[in-house]
Amino acid sequence: GNSVTQMEGPVTLSEEAFLTINCTYTATGYPSLFWYVQYPGEGLQLLLKATKADDKGSNKGFEATYRKETTSFHLEKGSVQVSDSAVYFCALTPSSGTYKYIFGTGTRLKVLA
Amino acid sequence: GAGVSQSPSNKVTEKGKDVELRCDPISGHTALYWYRQRLGQGLEFLIYFQGNSAPDKSGLPSDRFSAERTGESVSTLTIQRTQQEDSAVYLCASSLASDTQYFGPGTRLTVL
C-alpha cells in the first residue's frame, strides 16, 4: 500500500543552521509529493510540491527534490529562522484517485535565536 | 470566504454524548475532505465529498461517525456516542477537483 515515513522530531536548530527533514515513501505508480507546514495555532499550509520524478519544489527558501530512485522527498533549507518553527508534514497522493492524501506523522522543528 | 473555516475551534464533551463539527470550505471548491489528527500521529483520511456526494467513506472508523454536505458548501461531521479514543483534532480541507487541498484550522475534540 501507500505510505509515508518521515524522521521523528523534535528537531532543534540554531538560527541560520542548515535544515534537512527526511521523507521516504512507498507508492505504486507515480505519486505526487507534498510538504505541508503547520504553524502554532494555524491550519496546515502547502509549502511545496512536486508531481513527477526529478522535479524540485521550492518556496520560502525551502526545497525538496522528487527522487524516484530512492523514493525520497527530503526537505531542506540553507538557513533557518526562528519563524520557521512549526510542524512539517510530508504527504503523497497516489497516481490514481488523487484526492486521498497519505500523510507522514509530522516533524516538529524548533529554531532557537 | 478567504479560507477554510471550522467550528467550534475547541469542543469538550462527555463520553457518550453526540457532537457535530462544522466545516465551511473555500467558495467554489467542489471537493471537501475530513481528516483526523491524533496526538503525535499523522493525519488519517476520514471521508471525501465531491459535490454533495461522498464517493469515499473508507476512512470513517466506525458507524458512530457520519458526515454530510449540503449545497456543495458546508459539511458537518457527526460523532455519536463519543468515546475517549475519539479525542483528536479534526481537520477539514477543500480543493478544486483533485487539485491542492487547503486546510482549515481544525476542531480540537476532547472526550472526558
Side-chain angles (χ1 to χ4, degrees), chain B residues 31-44:
Chain B
L32 186 146
Y33 319 79
W34 283 98
Y35 294 85
R36 179 170 70 178
Q37 184 180 15
R38 285 174 159 157
L39 187 64
Q41 298 185 22
L43 279 72
E44 303 170 68

Side-chain angles (χ1 to χ4, degrees), chain A residues 98-113:
Chain A
T98 57
Y99 55 84
K100 189 183 295 186
Y101 277 40
I102 309 298
F103 281 88
T105 55
T107 302
R108 182 175 299 278
L109 170 66
K110 184 174 182 179
V111 181
L112 305 176

Side-chain angles (χ1 to χ4, degrees), chain A residues 10-109:
Chain A
V11 174
T12 303
L13 296 173
S14 298
E15 206 164 24
E16 299 183 3
F18 185 86
L19 169 71
T20 300
I21 300 178
N22 290 339
C23 172
T24 57
Y25 67 90
T26 301
T28 54
Y30 301 91
S32 294
L33 302 174
F34 305 81
W35 277 101
Y36 275 80
V37 58
Q38 187 174 30
Y39 297 104
E42 299 183 18
L44 273 75
Q45 302 173 24
L46 178 66
L47 181 59
L48 52 86
K49 68 178 182 181
T51 57
K52 61 183 188 295
D54 299 325
D55 268 3
K56 177 185 285 188
S58 61
N59 186 24
K60 299 182 181 180
F62 291 89
E63 292 183 341
T65 301
Y66 188 142
R67 303 282 189 201
K68 191 162 178 63
E69 64 275 14
T70 54
T71 62
S72 65
F73 194 56
H74 304 322
L75 182 68
E76 296 182 335
K77 186 175 185 182
S79 176
V80 293
Q81 305 300 311
V82 173
S83 57
D84 294 327
S85 298
V87 181
Y88 293 82
F89 291 90
C90 186
L92 67 82
T93 57
S95 55
S96 61
T98 57
Y99 55 84
K100 189 183 295 186
Y101 277 40
I102 309 298
F103 281 88
T105 55
T107 302
R108 182 175 299 278
L109 170 66

